Amino acid sequence: MSGRRRRAPARRGPGGPLPAAAAIVAAGAVAVAVAVWPDGDGATTGSRPSGSAPASSASPSPSRTYPLSEAPRTIPAVRGHTPARGPGWKPAKGGRVVVGDTDLADEGRLLADELGLAYAGRAGARAGDVELALGGDGGPESYTLTVRDGRVRVAGPAEAGVFYGTRTLKQEVHGGGTAPEGVVRDEPAKPRRGFMLDIARKHFTAGWIEDRIRELGDLKYNELGLHFSDDQAFRIESDSHPEVVSSPHLTKAEVKRIVALAESRHITVVPEIDSPGHLGAVIAAHPDLQLRTASGTPTRGAVDISDPAAADVVDDLLDEYAELFPGGYWHLGADEYQALVASDPEASYPRLAAAARKKYGAAAGVKDLATGWLNDRARTVRRHDRTLRAWNDGFFPGGAVRPDGDLEVAYWTGKEIGARQPDEYLAEGRRMINYNDEFLYYVLGEPNTFVYPTGKRIYEKWTPRVVRGTEPVPERYDGQILGASFAVWCDLATRQTQDQVAAGVRMPLRALAQKLWDPGEPDLSWAEFEALAGRLG
């Protein structure tokens, strides 16, 4: 998301733009309130970090001695701060946001709106201004935030990093706080930081989803997963197969607005049409595609993967939604195909077993046919230049057919039949995204021994290497674990309202944001972190 992208209009946060005197009184603010003694050009006096540019010359004026600044208090916490002496910065009348590159216009307008400043476009920075600029070393999500001489400069190699710098600044000055003098150097530990929402079992309004996008953006998340097809419903308008769509659902116009808002916050929307299981809504419109046992009993949610017509319908949908969701990632699902839950899949589903032998040889079985289905669907989406993932229980060991090597593992459980330890996938060289259901699954109604996860437990007990259960995988695999995603599943959809879900995930999302940005031991205790979250809103 560091290149050019389609833009959404700058939007106000849920509470409108912050007033000029807004935010947490951060530990990064100067220790005591001080008056600003201006130099002749309006810049403040005081010492600067080693290696910084000298202040412009000015006529003699009264001076103050300031204490060394402290690191700002933000969520997630910044990973590096060089302190300096000076009054810091806060929004004030006459202040502007200026940009050094027109590619940063969206970021500039958004920040100006949030802080109650004027947006001046490409212009030279002066005292009181915030300047956004492209440049510097580091990854695309890295940035530096410099407070010096009565102004702020946020710079990064790419737009994403600059955006994250503006999120840090927004939190620093929230509620009347002061951005501390000095230099923040910051970047995330993990490149995938996600929130997944089951909109198939429960309809969430477009406005509610947009509010979550604004929240996620401020916490520096960069993925929003939408699971919009399941046994209960299919929740997005379709032109290729309107017969499968449920009511209520999101219109394509609503989805386009969601995607555009997400892009403006450097968030990729990751769609999921789960198959060959969890297709009950499609089967309801196409009952001839339903899988049946040897005795003719229909198998809930599962299509007959030996029938080419089933592949045709799913591929139609995949091709259609690839145009609606232009981001670089796609979730193929592939979990809980009920034919493979049977004690003897070949005996229970002889039609599938025969199709497997015909396609892949005499030694092939039903799991090979399922793996072939996964690879075929991957081939369909890969034509649209997507990076693909599937649930871990859709990857089977051994067999005549192997899952394509570029498929990422979305690891959620060790409870399913045939589930394997995360180490097995990692030892094969696969890349993994952590969806650990013991920490990161928020399942409405708490069925099947699930309990609502807490921010405290994530903050104190979880790291990205804790993929299954409570024990981390070996450190040598850390580079293959790309990040994690918090997931809301709506198994008992009526047990919570939209507002209750938003309240329930609030602290888990903040705790996860912290641990994905910096998986080390946090500086703050949980009580301090929770209090900080309360002050930041």
Side-chain angles (χ1 to χ4, degrees):
M1 295 300 296
S2 60
R4 294 182 179 273
R5 62 195 188 282
R6 292 182 294 133
R7 305 289 192 167
R11 295 289 302 272
R12 297 171 183 263
L18 295 173
I24 165 179
V25 179
V30 290
V32 294
V34 294
V36 176
W37 294 82
D39 288 341
D41 63 352
T44 57
T45 62
S47 61
R48 284 169 291 277
S50 174
S52 62
S56 57
S57 61
S59 58
S61 61
S63 63
R64 297 280 309 243
T65 299
Y66 296 93
L68 273 177
S69 61
E70 298 178 3
R73 290 282 179 92
T74 60
I75 298 176
V78 301
R79 302 183 73 188
H81 176 254
T82 302
R85 298 183 188 277
W89 180 91
K90 63 171 60 180
K93 184 178 180 180
R96 308 174 302 164
V97 176
V98 301
V99 298
D101 191 302
T102 55
D103 285 348
L104 296 173
D106 279 2
E107 288 78 9
R109 289 190 180 96
L110 175 64
L111 183 67
D113 184 56
E114 292 169 328
L115 301 190
L117 302 175
Y119 175 69
R122 293 192 67 179
R126 64 194 187 197
D129 286 353
V130 179
E131 178 188 9
L132 308 184
L134 292 174
D137 300 324
E141 295 187 308
S142 66
Y143 69 92
T144 60
L145 187 159
T146 303
V147 179
R148 181 190 300 141
D149 299 333
R151 66 195 71 180
V152 179
R153 187 175 193 270
V154 181
E159 295 168 58
V162 175
F163 174 73
Y164 296 141
T166 68
R167 301 305 87 193
T168 297
L169 180 62
K170 178 184 175 182
Q171 289 193 25
E172 287 176 329
V173 303
H174 179 73
T178 298
E181 203 86 3
V183 182
V184 168
R185 294 178 177 85
D186 202 15
E187 65 180 343
K190 292 297 180 182
R192 308 280 187 85
R193 305 177 302 281
F195 174 65
M196 196 228 76
L197 184 63
D198 172 11
I199 64 172
R201 294 178 177 89
K202 182 181 182 68
H203 175 67
F204 289 85
T205 65
W208 189 93
I209 296 171
E210 289 168 356
D211 285 344
R212 300 289 74 70
I213 289 170
R214 296 183 186 100
E215 179 181 13
L216 294 171
D218 282 354
L219 294 170
K220 303 184 175 99
Y221 281 85
N222 61 6
E223 287 189 7
L224 169 65
L226 293 181
H227 175 93
F228 64 91
S229 169
D230 213 300
D231 294 340
Q232 294 77 6
F234 192 104
R235 297 286 189 185
I236 295 179
E237 176 186 357
S238 172
D239 298 319
S240 66
H241 289 282
E243 73 280 0
V244 308
V245 179
S246 307
S247 182
H249 62 265
L250 296 175
T251 66
K252 285 192 172 182
E254 288 174 321
V255 172
K256 288 177 181 177
R257 289 196 298 271
I258 288 168
V259 169
L261 178 64
E263 287 181 339
S264 77
R265 266 62 173 181
H266 296 269
I267 293 171
T268 299
V269 181
V270 183
E272 180 192 359
I273 299 176
D274 203 344
S275 78
H278 293 282
L279 282 172
V282 171
I283 291 169
H286 296 272
D288 52 310
L289 301 182
Q290 187 162 29
L291 178 66
R292 296 179 179 273
T293 65
S295 62
T297 303
T299 303
R300 184 173 184 267
V303 295
D304 183 348
I305 57 177
S306 69
D307 185 349
D312 290 342
V313 171
V314 173
D315 284 348
D316 286 345
L317 294 168
L318 294 173
D319 283 332
E320 176 181 2
Y321 291 108
E323 296 182 8
L324 187 61
F325 295 99
Y329 303 114
W330 193 282
H331 201 317
L332 293 166
D335 64 314
E336 298 181 320
Y337 186 52
Q338 293 302 299
L340 293 168
V341 174
S343 58
D344 187 346
E346 284 69 34
S348 297
Y349 299 95
R351 177 183 171 94
L352 298 185
R357 291 191 297 271
K358 180 178 179 180
K359 190 170 185 178
Y360 299 115
V366 174
K367 73 177 182 180
D368 296 300
L369 197 65
T371 300
W373 170 280
L374 173 63
N375 290 343
D376 288 345
R377 306 293 75 75
R379 191 174 302 113
T380 296
V381 181
R382 201 178 284 115
R383 292 197 297 263
H384 299 281
D385 194 25
R386 302 295 194 270
T387 298
L388 306 167
R389 72 187 70 164
W391 297 114
N392 65 287
D393 50 325
F395 293 76
F396 307 107
V401 184
R402 303 291 294 157
D404 289 347
D406 63 343
L407 293 176
E408 297 173 349
V409 179
Y411 197 102
W412 71 281
T413 185
K415 301 182 179 73
E416 295 296 301
I417 293 174
R420 295 182 287 155
Q421 293 286 346
D423 308 47
E424 294 187 40
Y425 305 87
L426 295 166
E428 296 172 356
R430 290 196 182 275
R431 302 195 300 173
M432 182 174 287
I433 302 168
N434 186 333
Y435 290 78
N436 188 333
D437 65 346
E438 293 194 28
F439 286 88
L440 307 180
Y441 262 35
Y442 190 96
V443 186
L444 268 58
E446 301 181 302
N448 302 323
T449 74
F450 284 109
V451 296
Y452 291 127
T454 66
K456 184 176 190 291
R457 188 162 182 255
I458 295 168
Y459 191 78
E460 295 180 341
K461 303 293 185 182
W462 182 88
T463 73
R465 289 197 289 119
V466 179
V467 180
R468 173 177 175 171
T470 59
E471 295 300 316
V473 299
E475 187 174 0
R476 65 181 178 273
Y477 294 129
D478 184 70
Q480 292 171 242
I481 299 172
L482 304 175
S485 182
F486 190 86
V488 173
W489 294 102
C490 302
D491 291 37
L492 301 175
T494 61
R495 295 296 177 89
Q496 288 195 343
T497 65
Q498 289 187 148
D499 289 344
Q500 288 172 322
V501 172
V505 303
R506 182 178 177 276
M507 286 310 299
L509 282 177
R510 282 152 179 78
L512 182 61
Q514 173 61 41
K515 299 304 283 287
L516 287 172
W517 199 264
D518 185 349
E521 188 72 23
D523 291 335
L524 301 182
S525 69
W526 171 251
E528 291 169 328
F529 183 84
E530 193 171 30
L532 174 61
R535 291 195 298 272
L536 291 176

